[in-house]
Amino acid sequence: MAEVHIIGQLLKAVDFDEPHLYCKWSFQSGNTWRLVQGEVQGQTHVSSHRLQNSSDFAQPIDIHLSTASLQGWPRLLVEVYAVNVLQQCWPVGYGFVHLPARPGPHRLEINTWRIAPSTWWQSVKEKFGGGSPALHKNDLLYSGVERYKLQTRSSGKIIVELNLIFRRFEEYGVEFK
Amino acid sequence: MYEDEETGNQGNEDDKDTNKVSPKQKQKKSKRSTNAQTPNELGAKSTASFFTLFITGQIVSATFPLGPDKDYIFCRYELVAGPDWQLVSGPQYGITQMSTNKTGHFNDKIVFNMPIEVTYKSTSPFGWPQILVSVFGQNQTGNESLVGYAHVYMPIFGGQQQLDEHISSLNQAPILRPKCPNMLGDITSWLLRRQPELKNPKILLDSAQSKGLSMESYGTLEFQLHAVMRGARKLGYNWHA
């Protein structure tokens, strides 16, 4: 069985409108991928920056996967939530990225989107920090099947630095260029 | 007679009498090889079950954009690694000197130049070692309180490879400071002039335990780290395409 090690950090969130953010991340992969060690999902602490409009998480990610097939290459899904003074939280960004297909250090930028307000009341609530609509089912994030009729708006970026180590792929005839 | 004994000892493939000599020589050879393995010389064969990671570098400096609010800053670092990793040589904990920038401009770098030289041995890259630094500061009255925490992974692919001038050659980590969970804590910490500290800063390294914490980031801690690995390719690991 070929193995993949993913070692890195979820660094920060930039260009979001709200200052206090946290990020829920998870790695999803196909049926033939098995988790050997590590945790494939997590939630960062709430973070804000004193001067700039960014949030530093620096959350370490360390995952060991083993696979029997190349299908279902792992993806990293992120959901960014904002918190206000009253400890209410609502999602301000959804995004995903596929893992790069070659070993080595990578710096990934995940561009996120959020649901656009559809009524006047929702846009007022959004401006004054009350909340914004959330997705009911999360599989919209990584499947393109039922996205029609969903109105979204662009949101900030999540920056992730990942190092990928592959093992025993040559025994199965897989070459990386 | 003297010469025969000498040739008997050296040429042990020809004589039948060397059956007595060869076990002694074999013992001598095995003693020599164990002595060669423990200081980890390059001449010794790397055994096929583990690889070694040699890390060298330093904690270079800390930078605060609007100045730290303290007179003297010092750091305490700790190396954290997974269960498969064993620290072969080098200190796991350390404290730097107390450094200041109050004689210069307020946002000058505060230089530590603290060396880090460790060797790890492991069977798997899971639990790759990280360095967790707690930054403390001392103000004019002599009270020490927390400035923040920073952590980075040890370099996996050898260290900084700069192809672009825009990327700085230092590995920068944000310094995160825990915030009080309620307003009473904020007032208390302002009156006593002490920041809240984490009882166990290693929860920042664990994604399952850092939920619900509220942190503020201010300032960066710069590292310069290089890593050399030995024996990983034999185990089948593909570090570069």
Side-chain angles (χ1 to χ4, degrees):
Chain A
M1 302 266 274
E3 293 169 20
V4 175
H5 287 266
I6 306 164
I7 301 172
Q9 282 190 344
L10 192 88
L11 281 184
K12 57 175 158 181
V14 293
D15 293 338
F16 283 90
D17 296 327
E18 291 82 2
H20 301 277
L21 302 169
Y22 69 89
C23 179
K24 274 207 228 188
W25 55 271
S26 63
F27 277 88
Q28 309 222 341
S29 46
N31 300 348
T32 52
W33 292 75
R34 258 187 340 111
L35 173 70
V36 180
Q37 280 170 310
E39 286 165 22
V40 287
Q41 57 188 11
Q43 184 177 325
T44 66
H45 49 81
V46 179
S47 181
S48 64
H49 200 284
R50 211 189 268 191
L51 302 172
Q52 304 162 359
N53 194 18
S54 70
S55 299
D56 288 300
F57 303 122
Q59 169 127 113
I61 295 175
D62 197 345
I63 299 173
H64 183 188
L65 298 166
S66 84
T67 178
S69 142
L70 289 179
Q71 281 185 329
W73 195 261
R75 300 174 280 242
L76 170 62
L77 270 76
V78 290
E79 297 169 37
V80 187
Y81 288 81
V83 189
N84 66 6
V85 184
L86 303 170
Q87 308 284 334
Q88 298 167 338
C89 49
W90 64 94
V92 290
Y94 293 103
F96 85 95
V97 74
H98 276 98
L99 278 192
R102 25 156 52 183
H106 301 278
R107 190 182 166 95
L108 305 171
E109 291 188 359
I110 308 177
N111 290 302
T112 60
W113 50 268
R114 61 189 287 183
I115 300 179
S118 50
T119 66
W120 170 83
W121 180 238
Q122 274 182 5
S123 48
V124 168
K125 259 177 76 170
E126 194 185 53
K127 276 212 178 65
F128 290 99
S132 71
L135 278 181
H136 183 49
K137 283 188 296 189
N138 274 355
D139 41 346
L140 251 187
L141 282 182
Y142 49 87
S143 88
V145 175
E146 282 180 8
R147 286 188 176 201
Y148 183 63
K149 284 294 186 190
L150 179 70
Q151 292 178 340
T152 67
R153 224 182 64 194
S154 326
S155 195
K157 282 196 292 197
I158 297 273
I159 300 182
V160 186
E161 261 187 16
L162 291 177
N163 297 291
L164 296 178
I165 302 170
F166 297 158
R167 190 179 181 206
R168 293 213 193 118
F169 271 88
E170 287 98 15
E171 292 176 11
Y172 297 92
V174 180
E175 297 162 22
F176 295 100
K177 284 290 172 202
Chain B
M1 292 272 280
Y2 192 69
E3 285 172 353
D4 286 339
E5 282 176 6
E6 272 192 9
T7 52
N9 278 335
Q10 283 175 5
N12 58 349
E13 289 154 36
D14 302 331
D15 292 348
K16 288 180 190 174
D17 290 335
T18 58
N19 284 336
K20 289 181 196 169
V21 180
S22 46
K24 264 196 201 169
Q25 284 205 353
K26 276 185 194 165
Q27 280 179 16
K28 278 188 197 168
K29 268 189 191 166
S30 61
K31 275 190 195 168
R32 246 184 270 134
S33 60
T34 49
N35 283 336
Q37 272 175 14
T38 40
N40 221 335
E41 290 173 8
L42 287 177
K45 269 202 303 191
S46 66
T47 57
S49 58
F50 62 85
F51 63 91
T52 9
L53 179 70
F54 304 89
I55 297 159
T56 54
Q58 49 172 311
I59 302 178
V60 179
S61 58
T63 312
F64 297 94
L66 290 183
D69 300 318
K70 316 272 185 231
D71 273 358
Y72 286 93
I73 305 276
F74 68 95
C75 300
R76 204 173 67 192
Y77 75 84
E78 185 183 345
L79 293 165
V80 181
D84 297 326
W85 291 79
Q86 188 190 352
L87 186 66
V88 173
S89 84
Q92 195 182 4
Y93 302 92
I95 302 188
T96 68
Q97 77 273 19
M98 302 178 73
S99 179
T100 183
N101 68 349
K102 59 182 180 177
T103 50
H105 203 64
F106 58 79
N107 55 2
D108 280 345
K109 282 201 281 196
I110 299 177
V111 175
F112 297 114
N113 204 11
M114 176 75 176
I116 298 169
E117 278 173 41
V118 289
T119 310
Y120 270 100
K121 195 166 86 164
S122 167
T123 54
S124 151
F126 180 73
W128 196 270
Q130 313 177 45
I131 178 165
L132 171 65
V133 180
S134 316
V135 185
F136 292 90
Q138 189 183 53
N139 59 11
Q140 291 93 344
T141 57
N143 289 334
E144 290 174 5
S145 68
L146 179 77
V147 173
Y149 300 102
H151 56 272
V152 279
Y153 268 105
M154 294 298 176
I156 298 178
F157 295 103
Q160 287 94 15
Q161 303 142 358
Q162 264 66 50
L163 306 169
D164 192 1
E165 283 178 17
H166 298 295
I167 305 172
S168 77
S169 61
L170 297 174
N171 199 352
Q172 294 187 338
I175 299 180
L176 295 162
R177 193 175 59 82
K179 291 204 311 208
C180 298
N182 51 16
M183 202 186 298
L184 183 61
D186 275 332
I187 296 174
T188 317
S189 86
W190 175 76
L191 283 175
L192 299 177
R193 281 185 225 151
R194 294 194 65 195
Q195 302 294 334
E197 296 179 24
L198 290 173
K199 253 189 179 173
N200 183 11
K202 288 195 221 173
I203 61 174
L204 291 176
L205 304 178
D206 189 356
S207 58
Q209 292 182 34
S210 62
K211 269 203 259 196
L213 263 188
S214 184
M215 314 279 275
E216 187 185 51
S217 61
Y218 176 57
T220 53
L221 196 65
E222 287 110 20
F223 295 87
Q224 206 173 46
L225 292 168
H226 302 276
V228 184
M229 247 182 335
R230 180 172 186 238
R233 204 172 282 258
K234 268 198 188 161
L235 298 173
Y237 288 104
N238 224 344
W239 299 94
H240 294 281

